[in-house]
Amino acid sequence: MSVAITLDSKLGPVIGDKSAKPLTKAFGMETVGDLLRHYPRRYLEIGQLTPLSSLEVDQHVTIMAEVRALKQFPFGPGGRRTRTEVLVTDQTGEITLTFFTRVYGIKAGDVGLFSGVVGSFRGKLQLTHPQHDPIGDRLARGVVPIYPASAAAGSVFIEKCVALALDAVTDLPDPLPEGVRRERHYEDVAASLEAVHRPHSVAEGMAAKARFRFEEAFVMQTVLAQRRHRAAASTATARPPREGGLHDRFVEQLPFALTQGQQDIAETVGAELASSHPMHRLLQGEVGSGKTVVALLGMLQVVDAGGQAALLAPTEVLAAQHHRSISRMLGDLARSGMLGGAEGATRVRLLTGSMGSRARQETMLDLVTGAAGIVVGTHALLEDTVQFADLGLVVVDEQHRFGVEQRAALVDRYETRPHVLVMTATPIPRTVAMTVFGDLDVSVLSELPAGRQPIQTNVVPVADRPAWLERAWERVREEVGRGRQAYVVVSRIGDESAESDSPTRSLVELHEELRGGALHDLRLGVLHGRMTADDKDRTMSAFADGSIDVLVATTVVEVGVDVPNATVMVVMDAERFGISQLHQLRGRVGRGSETGLCLLVTGADADSPAAERLRAVASTTDGFELSQLDVAMRSEGDVLGTRQSGFRSSLRLLSVVRDEDVIAAARVAATAVVESDPDLVGVPALAAAVAALEETDSADYLERT
């Protein structure tokens, strides 16, 4: 009785261990499915010979050419060995194939496929010991698939292995439900695999690739649709608004009017908090657009309804900043039990890992008794010992800085789930939002508050214009002379011995240089991640109250730091930062009524991609435009991030950068399938594909926030 060959069957027994070994080494292939999902990267039509004139040395190529001549030369001791030279040609050029052995099966007039690395000998291009294969039965199809290949596993070799697997496999479950295939006019998986690997036309092969591109998006979106469905089906405590409560009193005492965008999103958040289904919302907004005020309105509604709210921040600097900012905005509404506290006030507590034991105990007591309605904290909030009287809302700031288990530790520990509001100041292209945040409802806050001034950004190319750096320090001095303050941002601290040979300017070096030189008579401070929490807090407080003129800092100031009097920022070695990070950094200036200035100092060559990035940042303050550019300039892996390696490895054809329409269509189709069959009982092949995706470390990427 023969054993059925499935996509999960080991590759060795199907194509032979000798053939499987180079595929495993080059591409990590272990199963038949791994091989059959290794799709051709392009197709050649027979009759359209490869342009040999375009070949370059060190390229790994698969060419299709006609054999013009074949010569054999004896060499070695006594001439006992044979070197064979085969001259092949097309309409554009010719190349020599060199074999250090006698070659059989090649003769003048043959048209064949030849794969190898292009080399050069005596000024002429050659392929040494290329893999070769006659066109053979491909003539009937008229098309040759060209695969992503390596030196040990060329395209011709892969094509032969794929043919063996295609002929052997007997069980091909289809993750795409029949209704979805019919609606989009797709063939089933068996016919599509045949078409993608052995097409009779380029159009047929490309259509099959489109089908598999959609399938990748569909399976991923099904996972996200199931998460949305489960979230909607779970219960949360409704937190309806209370007339005349802290929320209303806070709005009445605000010294500024909310933008229309803030009002609209606050109403949406308020309505979802009043529901018995947990809110799962992403609030993304431009730097300085007022996300924290919207989040605070939601927190106050929860407190009015008898619950508590937690704001989770990625760093102690940001947590302390949020604590100060919220306490300041609430004023007497945050002074419950204190002299001058308003009637019905609450308490705002801070919890970080480096707090002293007494302060920590006071905060913990206020949380467990419910005396503190709002707590701002770092990862310390996630510890099992931290207990709330009634946690109703979790606000996660800059969520991409938290790991999956860390977020789940706070959200999942309660039988009745708290509402969740995720905030990010990094504008996210729609394609990424549909994937990275596909299980969240999305609100976008793009309107800046009234009175907020634009930020001017200039590139300072010190390699070509060294005098411009002197002018940059003069601008800092001018701003300080007008009573303003400045940031100087560096990429590294500089007290690490391993970094002593780094060409970049470190915080330690630059601080000493500025203190004794260009900024010698100004009050300089330093801020970096290795300082103690107390030192960081003292430094930020001194900067906020104007006791420090210039803060020399690492990227700990990237998010959340709010000093309206700071009007200028100098970013050293700016080419070492990404587009989104530079946009975040410059958002620290221009937060008051004065125009902000950001100077990007770089030694990068003017024609380099790094310099191009900096010019792009300087050309616009539109974060969403920059985010699209950022995605376009980075690789797929960079876009998805290191924590999403499992998801990345599941993508063979789909591009999160380019395939917005495919992802959007897959999201609609997957949502419809899940709404009609939440557990995928009627589509077992899809259920299996979803389970396989979730079992990889792509669960990190897909995990709900």
Short mmCIF file of all heavy atoms in Angstrom, two decimals, residues 520-545:
data_model
loop_
_atom_site.label_atom_id
_atom_site.label_comp_id
_atom_site.label_asym_id
_atom_site.label_seq_id
_atom_site.Cartn_x
_atom_site.Cartn_y
_atom_site.Cartn_z
N HIS A 520 30.07 77.12 25.07
CA HIS A 520 30.78 77.09 26.35
C HIS A 520 30.09 77.88 27.45
O HIS A 520 30.22 77.56 28.63
CB HIS A 520 32.22 77.61 26.17
CG HIS A 520 32.27 79.07 25.78
ND1 HIS A 520 32.37 80.07 26.69
CD2 HIS A 520 32.23 79.65 24.55
CE1 HIS A 520 32.39 81.23 26.06
NE2 HIS A 520 32.31 81.01 24.76
N ASP A 521 29.35 78.93 27.11
CA ASP A 521 28.75 79.75 28.15
C ASP A 521 27.26 79.45 28.36
O ASP A 521 26.56 80.20 29.03
CB ASP A 521 28.93 81.24 27.84
CG ASP A 521 28.42 81.59 26.45
OD1 ASP A 521 28.19 80.65 25.65
OD2 ASP A 521 28.25 82.79 26.17
N LEU A 522 26.78 78.35 27.77
CA LEU A 522 25.38 77.96 27.97
C LEU A 522 25.29 76.85 29.01
O LEU A 522 26.27 76.16 29.30
CB LEU A 522 24.77 77.49 26.64
CG LEU A 522 24.83 78.48 25.48
CD1 LEU A 522 24.09 77.92 24.27
CD2 LEU A 522 24.25 79.84 25.88
N ARG A 523 24.11 76.66 29.53
CA ARG A 523 23.87 75.61 30.54
C ARG A 523 23.50 74.32 29.82
O ARG A 523 22.40 74.21 29.28
CB ARG A 523 22.77 76.05 31.50
CG ARG A 523 23.11 77.31 32.31
CD ARG A 523 21.89 77.82 33.06
NE ARG A 523 20.83 78.22 32.14
CZ ARG A 523 19.60 78.58 32.53
NH1 ARG A 523 19.28 78.58 33.82
NH2 ARG A 523 18.70 78.93 31.63
N LEU A 524 24.43 73.36 29.83
CA LEU A 524 24.22 72.10 29.12
C LEU A 524 23.85 70.98 30.09
O LEU A 524 24.35 70.93 31.22
CB LEU A 524 25.48 71.69 28.35
CG LEU A 524 25.66 72.24 26.93
CD1 LEU A 524 25.65 73.76 26.92
CD2 LEU A 524 26.93 71.69 26.29
N GLY A 525 22.97 70.09 29.64
CA GLY A 525 22.62 68.90 30.40
C GLY A 525 22.72 67.69 29.50
O GLY A 525 22.75 67.81 28.27
N VAL A 526 22.79 66.51 30.10
CA VAL A 526 22.85 65.27 29.31
C VAL A 526 21.72 64.35 29.76
O VAL A 526 21.32 64.36 30.93
CB VAL A 526 24.21 64.55 29.45
CG1 VAL A 526 25.33 65.41 28.88
CG2 VAL A 526 24.50 64.17 30.89
N LEU A 527 21.24 63.55 28.82
CA LEU A 527 20.17 62.59 29.12
C LEU A 527 20.36 61.36 28.25
O LEU A 527 20.45 61.47 27.02
CB LEU A 527 18.79 63.22 28.83
CG LEU A 527 17.58 62.35 29.18
CD1 LEU A 527 17.45 62.22 30.70
CD2 LEU A 527 16.30 62.95 28.59
N HIS A 528 20.44 60.21 28.89
CA HIS A 528 20.55 58.96 28.14
C HIS A 528 19.99 57.81 28.96
O HIS A 528 19.70 57.95 30.16
CB HIS A 528 22.00 58.68 27.73
CG HIS A 528 22.96 58.61 28.88
ND1 HIS A 528 23.06 57.50 29.70
CD2 HIS A 528 23.87 59.51 29.35
CE1 HIS A 528 24.00 57.71 30.61
NE2 HIS A 528 24.50 58.93 30.43
N GLY A 529 19.83 56.67 28.32
CA GLY A 529 19.15 55.54 28.93
C GLY A 529 19.87 54.88 30.07
O GLY A 529 19.25 54.14 30.85
N ARG A 530 21.17 55.11 30.23
CA ARG A 530 21.91 54.43 31.30
C ARG A 530 21.89 55.21 32.61
O ARG A 530 22.41 54.75 33.61
CB ARG A 530 23.35 54.19 30.87
CG ARG A 530 23.45 53.21 29.72
CD ARG A 530 24.73 52.40 29.79
NE ARG A 530 24.88 51.67 28.55
CZ ARG A 530 25.76 51.97 27.61
NH1 ARG A 530 26.58 52.96 27.80
NH2 ARG A 530 25.82 51.28 26.50
N MET A 531 21.33 56.40 32.59
CA MET A 531 21.24 57.17 33.83
C MET A 531 20.19 56.54 34.75
O MET A 531 19.28 55.85 34.30
CB MET A 531 20.84 58.62 33.50
CG MET A 531 21.90 59.38 32.71
SD MET A 531 21.30 60.95 32.00
CE MET A 531 20.82 61.85 33.47
N THR A 532 20.33 56.78 36.04
CA THR A 532 19.32 56.29 36.97
C THR A 532 18.01 57.03 36.74
O THR A 532 17.99 58.14 36.18
CB THR A 532 19.76 56.49 38.43
OG1 THR A 532 19.81 57.90 38.70
CG2 THR A 532 21.13 55.87 38.68
N ALA A 533 16.93 56.42 37.18
CA ALA A 533 15.62 57.05 36.99
C ALA A 533 15.56 58.42 37.66
O ALA A 533 15.01 59.37 37.10
CB ALA A 533 14.53 56.14 37.54
N ASP A 534 16.14 58.53 38.86
CA ASP A 534 16.11 59.82 39.57
C ASP A 534 16.90 60.87 38.79
O ASP A 534 16.46 62.03 38.67
CB ASP A 534 16.69 59.67 40.98
CG ASP A 534 15.73 58.94 41.91
OD1 ASP A 534 14.55 58.84 41.55
OD2 ASP A 534 16.18 58.48 42.97
N ASP A 535 18.07 60.48 38.26
CA ASP A 535 18.88 61.43 37.49
C ASP A 535 18.16 61.86 36.22
O ASP A 535 18.18 63.04 35.84
CB ASP A 535 20.24 60.82 37.14
CG ASP A 535 21.17 60.76 38.35
OD1 ASP A 535 20.89 61.46 39.33
OD2 ASP A 535 22.18 60.02 38.28
N LYS A 536 17.51 60.89 35.54
CA LYS A 536 16.77 61.24 34.34
C LYS A 536 15.63 62.20 34.67
O LYS A 536 15.39 63.18 33.96
CB LYS A 536 16.21 59.97 33.68
CG LYS A 536 17.25 59.20 32.88
CD LYS A 536 16.67 58.05 32.11
CE LYS A 536 16.39 56.85 32.99
NZ LYS A 536 16.09 55.62 32.23
N ASP A 537 14.92 61.90 35.75
CA ASP A 537 13.79 62.74 36.13
C ASP A 537 14.25 64.14 36.51
O ASP A 537 13.62 65.14 36.13
CB ASP A 537 13.03 62.09 37.29
CG ASP A 537 11.65 62.69 37.47
OD1 ASP A 537 10.90 62.76 36.49
OD2 ASP A 537 11.35 63.12 38.60
N ARG A 538 15.37 64.22 37.24
CA ARG A 538 15.89 65.54 37.63
C ARG A 538 16.30 66.34 36.39
O ARG A 538 16.04 67.55 36.29
CB ARG A 538 17.09 65.38 38.58
CG ARG A 538 16.70 65.21 40.04
CD ARG A 538 17.92 65.38 40.94
NE ARG A 538 18.88 64.31 40.76
CZ ARG A 538 18.88 63.18 41.45
NH1 ARG A 538 17.94 62.97 42.38
NH2 ARG A 538 19.79 62.26 41.24
N THR A 539 16.94 65.64 35.45
CA THR A 539 17.37 66.34 34.24
C THR A 539 16.18 66.84 33.43
O THR A 539 16.16 67.99 32.97
CB THR A 539 18.23 65.40 33.36
OG1 THR A 539 19.40 65.02 34.10
CG2 THR A 539 18.66 66.09 32.08
N MET A 540 15.18 65.99 33.24
CA MET A 540 14.02 66.41 32.47
C MET A 540 13.26 67.53 33.17
O MET A 540 12.77 68.46 32.52
CB MET A 540 13.09 65.22 32.22
CG MET A 540 13.49 64.36 31.04
SD MET A 540 13.80 65.28 29.50
CE MET A 540 12.26 66.17 29.32
N SER A 541 13.17 67.46 34.49
CA SER A 541 12.49 68.52 35.24
C SER A 541 13.25 69.84 35.09
O SER A 541 12.64 70.91 34.91
CB SER A 541 12.37 68.14 36.72
OG SER A 541 11.55 67.01 36.88
N ALA A 542 14.59 69.77 35.15
CA ALA A 542 15.40 70.97 35.00
C ALA A 542 15.27 71.55 33.60
O ALA A 542 15.20 72.77 33.41
CB ALA A 542 16.87 70.66 35.29
N PHE A 543 15.19 70.68 32.59
CA PHE A 543 15.00 71.16 31.22
C PHE A 543 13.61 71.77 31.06
O PHE A 543 13.44 72.82 30.43
CB PHE A 543 15.21 70.01 30.24
CG PHE A 543 15.28 70.43 28.80
CD1 PHE A 543 16.21 71.36 28.37
CD2 PHE A 543 14.41 69.91 27.86
CE1 PHE A 543 16.28 71.76 27.03
CE2 PHE A 543 14.46 70.29 26.52
CZ PHE A 543 15.41 71.23 26.12
N ALA A 544 12.61 71.11 31.66
CA ALA A 544 11.24 71.60 31.53
C ALA A 544 11.05 72.95 32.21
O ALA A 544 10.30 73.80 31.73
CB ALA A 544 10.26 70.58 32.11
N ASP A 545 11.75 73.18 33.34
CA ASP A 545 11.57 74.46 34.04
C ASP A 545 12.55 75.54 33.57
O ASP A 545 12.60 76.64 34.13
CB ASP A 545 11.63 74.28 35.56
CG ASP A 545 13.02 73.89 36.07
OD1 ASP A 545 14.03 74.15 35.39
OD2 ASP A 545 13.09 73.32 37.18
#
